[in-house]
Amino acid sequence: MAEQNQETGNERDEDGYPLNKQAVSRIMYAVDTDDREMLWAEMEPLHPADIADLLEQSNAYDRRRLITLYGGEFDGDILSELDESIREEVIGLLHPEVLAEAVRELDSDDVVDLVEDLEDKQQDAILEYLEDSDRLAVQQSLTYPDYSAGRLMQREVVMAPEHWSVGDVIDFMRNAEDLPEQFYHIILVDPRLHPVGNVTLGRIMAARRDVALNDLVEETFHVIPVTQYEGDVAYAFNQYHLISAPVVDEEGRLVGVITIDDAMIVLDEEHEEDIMRLAGVGEGGLNDSVIATSKQRVPWLAVNLATAILASLVIAQFEAAIAQLVALAVLMPIVASMGGNAATQSLTVAVRALATKDLTGSNVWRVLMREVLVGLINGVIFAAAMGVVGAVWFGGPELGYVTAAAMVINLVVAGFAGAGIPVVMDRLGVDPALGSGTFVTTVTDVVGFCAFLGLAAMFLL
């Protein structure tokens, strides 16, 4: 039996991820055989995030069977870890008493995240399960703008008057009955509840009881307005290496706290959103329906079609030249493709730099010139290669010269457009990740075709 348990343990940890293929197979076997004890035994070691992954990976039929058999035990953290696209479905499958217990376990920020995207009827039902004080805190948070610090913060705050000593705050924490499960700082406040400093728990535990808390405050202290955009909050945590930060209302009074785990989730979501938008797929996920996914992708495919037609119109202007020299049709996609790839490289760097605030008005021209020079150097390198290829392939140096010159022109333009278009979109208040790729590709296609076919018409015909 011990050998079997050791083998099972090794099997579960073989890839560092408890929810491996074997674990999923055992869980689904328990579901298929209606073996609740086996299911509980398999699910008990799993982290709520792993259970959320399991539910997301299952189809709707298996998900319903699993939740039904799992029965009366459902950790509230599972709900907060679930992808929004199936969260409402899972909530609808839970027994009201199970859902009520799960919701009561959550911190206020997790409850806000749970209910903010639900329909009003389901939202009201969940709020009814909360105690009056918790319900009021969540409802207050829901009055703040979407994607603001007020939606991200938790109301459970440990604060102390600025004149207290270490002994005062230790006694307070020992006698308190409703401290948060996890917190990193004691926030010092003045008589008007304005936060004036942070003291880490480590410094408190290392100091004598008679030491004033004011003598232990951290040098880095950052206060976050309740209406600040959550992306800027995440940037502040990353930039200033914050662990937690107090949130204040319009009058500067302490109303909540944001911790590093929530800030890093936002930062991760921002990165994911940029990647998805660069590809023109919006904010869709693997659990979205076919129709929803199609609706998200159609708009930018339509824009891409329009820009592709524009590039084709450019080619049509040189129809006679292509008809006289068929080799042009063979080589022109290479020039356009190289420009498109070079522009995508510059575009990715620029969008990331804008997101991290490394690309600003003070260095934008230096960055643009750098990308242009990089495009020039790379253009010369690959122009030389394509010049030789064109000359050998088609038996004369003239076509090689034209290809090389067009390559240099297009890669220089690609560097400028790849870095410049996101900057322009950012200045116009448009997310630079949204649509930049389509516009940049259009520029490199049009310039590439014009340069190559125009030079060929001038010097070869």
Side-chain angles (χ1 to χ4, degrees), residues 419-434:
I421 287 178
V423 171
V424 171
M425 295 185 72
D426 186 59
R427 291 285 191 277
L428 295 174
V430 180
D431 188 337
L434 187 63

Side-chain angles (χ1 to χ4, degrees), residues 19-53:
L19 193 66
N20 54 31
K21 185 177 180 180
Q22 292 79 11
V24 173
S25 296
R26 291 192 296 269
I27 289 171
M28 295 317 300
Y29 176 78
V31 172
D32 291 336
T33 58
D34 285 333
D35 191 335
R36 178 172 292 180
E37 289 187 7
M38 179 181 178
L39 179 63
W40 282 358
E42 292 294 333
M43 299 277 275
E44 193 275 332
L46 295 180
H47 188 276
D50 295 327
I51 298 177
D53 283 349

Side-chain angles (χ1 to χ4, degrees), residues 285-302:
L286 293 177
N287 295 299
D288 290 348
S289 67
V290 172
I291 299 299
T293 303
S294 178
K295 287 180 178 179
Q296 290 166 354
R297 299 183 185 182
V298 160
W300 286 108
L301 286 175

Side-chain angles (χ1 to χ4, degrees), residues 22 43 55 92 146 187 208 238 240 268 307 344 376 398 448:
Q22 292 79 11
M43 299 277 275
L55 293 174
D146 291 341
I187 302 173
R208 298 188 312 274
N238 189 52
Y240 305 117
D268 183 59
T307 56
T344 299
L376 177 61
E398 294 83 3

Side-chain angles (χ1 to χ4, degrees), residues 292-369:
T293 303
S294 178
K295 287 180 178 179
Q296 290 166 354
R297 299 183 185 182
V298 160
W300 286 108
L301 286 175
V303 173
N304 190 73
L305 176 60
T307 56
I309 292 173
L310 176 61
S312 299
L313 291 175
V314 173
I315 298 173
Q317 303 306 308
F318 299 93
E319 186 177 353
I322 296 173
Q324 292 182 54
L325 192 59
V326 178
L328 298 179
V330 176
L331 293 175
M332 67 180 184
I334 298 175
V335 176
S337 176
M338 287 296 292
N341 286 328
T344 299
Q345 291 173 338
S346 297
L347 169 68
T348 303
V349 171
V351 169
R352 183 74 191 104
L354 285 168
T356 58
K357 304 188 188 301
D358 291 328
L359 181 54
T360 64
S362 62
N363 65 354
V364 63
W365 285 110
R366 178 175 60 82
V367 173
L368 285 174
M369 289 304 102

Side-chain angles (χ1 to χ4, degrees), residues 125-329:
I126 289 179
L127 292 178
E128 283 298 318
Y129 298 139
L130 300 175
E131 295 182 6
D132 292 342
S133 58
D134 293 333
R135 185 186 313 117
L136 184 61
V138 171
Q139 288 173 332
Q140 177 64 40
S141 294
L142 291 173
T143 64
Y144 296 119
D146 291 341
Y147 310 111
S148 67
R151 293 289 186 101
L152 190 63
M153 69 180 182
Q154 65 182 56
R155 292 285 185 152
E156 297 82 7
V157 180
V158 184
M159 56 183 171
E162 57 184 331
H163 63 270
W164 271 14
S165 66
V166 168
D168 292 329
V169 78
I170 289 177
D171 292 340
F172 165 75
M173 288 190 292
R174 285 176 175 170
N175 294 324
E177 297 180 356
D178 56 351
L179 288 178
E181 285 190 11
Q182 293 184 347
F183 62 99
Y184 312 100
H185 289 115
I186 303 296
I187 302 173
L188 302 189
V189 295
D190 66 15
R192 295 185 177 182
L193 288 184
H194 296 158
V196 296
N198 273 341
V199 183
T200 63
L201 294 178
R203 297 199 71 180
I204 289 174
M205 300 308 298
R208 298 188 312 274
R209 287 182 61 88
D210 60 347
V211 174
L213 292 178
N214 262 324
D215 295 336
L216 302 177
V217 294
E218 288 191 303
E219 291 183 9
T220 302
F221 180 61
H222 194 86
V223 176
I224 297 173
V226 73
T227 56
Q228 188 173 62
Y229 173 59
E230 64 177 20
D232 294 332
V233 173
Y235 170 79
F237 268 77
N238 189 52
Q239 179 75 2
Y240 305 117
H241 311 294
L242 304 177
I243 299 175
S244 68
V247 181
V248 297
D249 61 16
E250 294 80 359
E251 298 180 5
R253 292 174 304 195
L254 181 65
V255 292
V257 64
I258 293 176
T259 54
I260 189 171
D261 54 334
D262 293 319
M264 291 305 100
I265 289 173
V266 171
L267 196 63
D268 183 59
E269 289 175 348
E270 292 275 312
H271 293 168
E272 180 182 348
E273 182 180 292
D274 284 346
I275 293 171
M276 301 287 273
R277 288 186 170 183
L278 276 172
V281 295
E283 301 176 10
L286 293 177
N287 295 299
D288 290 348
S289 67
V290 172
I291 299 299
T293 303
S294 178
K295 287 180 178 179
Q296 290 166 354
R297 299 183 185 182
V298 160
W300 286 108
L301 286 175
V303 173
N304 190 73
L305 176 60
T307 56
I309 292 173
L310 176 61
S312 299
L313 291 175
V314 173
I315 298 173
Q317 303 306 308
F318 299 93
E319 186 177 353
I322 296 173
Q324 292 182 54
L325 192 59
V326 178
L328 298 179

